[in-house]
């Protein structure tokens, strides 16, 4: 498990039915590609977030496969149309098997 991994999400607190809301996510993660060498001359093991998903009330909104070329602290921004109040579930999958999650609620009037 990578140290100091912190997921952050930003979703509006409320929206109107049928509105497209902007969703922003960032996860603090070193995203080590496995191609660099450490001070001892040995390769630093690969450790990247390889997949990111977002669901709204159990329905998939976005599913992204991430390649090693993505920079440290991956940031994603996308729009999601909400028709009802509910919860966004965000999940980041790490090469080492670690899974990081966060949630955000939105109220629809």
């Amino acid at each position: 498990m990578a140290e100091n991994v912190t997921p952050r999400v930003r979703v509006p607190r409320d929206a109107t039915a049928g509105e497209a809301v902007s969703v922003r996510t960032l996860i603090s993660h070193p995203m080590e590609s496995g191609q660099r060498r450490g001070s001892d001359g040995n390769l630093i093991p690969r450790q990247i977030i390889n997949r990111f998903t977002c669901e709204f009330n159990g329905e998939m909104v976005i599913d992204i496969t991430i390649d090693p070329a993505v920079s440290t602290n991956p940031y994603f921004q996308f729009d999601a149309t909400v028709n009802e109040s509910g919860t966004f579930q965000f999940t980041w999958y790490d090469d080492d098997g670690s899974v990081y999650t966060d949630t955000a609620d939105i109220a629809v009037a």
Side-chain angles (χ1 to χ4, degrees):
M1 176 180 264
E3 294 180 24
N4 301 321
V5 174
T6 308
R8 297 183 193 128
V9 298
R10 183 159 292 180
V11 175
R13 291 182 188 174
D14 50 36
T16 57
E19 180 181 358
V21 297
S22 181
V23 177
R24 295 182 285 174
T25 71
L26 174 109
I27 187 163
S28 300
H29 192 281
M31 298 294 284
E32 188 55 60
S33 69
Q35 298 176 357
R36 292 185 325 126
R37 295 190 182 275
S39 58
D40 60 2
N42 294 322
L43 286 175
I44 299 170
R46 174 182 150 141
Q47 185 173 13
I48 67 166
I49 298 291
N50 57 45
R51 184 176 176 213
F52 166 73
T53 64
C54 173
E55 296 180 5
F56 181 69
N57 290 344
E59 186 175 326
M60 189 64 68
V61 174
I62 194 167
D63 188 343
I64 300 171
T65 300
I66 304 169
D67 292 323
V70 172
S71 67
T72 301
N73 306 326
Y75 171 83
F76 297 105
Q77 181 175 348
F78 56 93
D79 291 336
T81 302
V82 292
N83 294 315
E84 61 188 11
S85 297
T87 302
F88 284 97
Q89 172 76 34
F90 304 94
T91 310
W92 294 263
Y93 300 88
D94 200 324
D95 274 347
D96 67 4
S98 299
V99 177
Y100 309 98
T101 61
D102 202 354
T103 60
D105 295 325
I106 188 168
V108 173

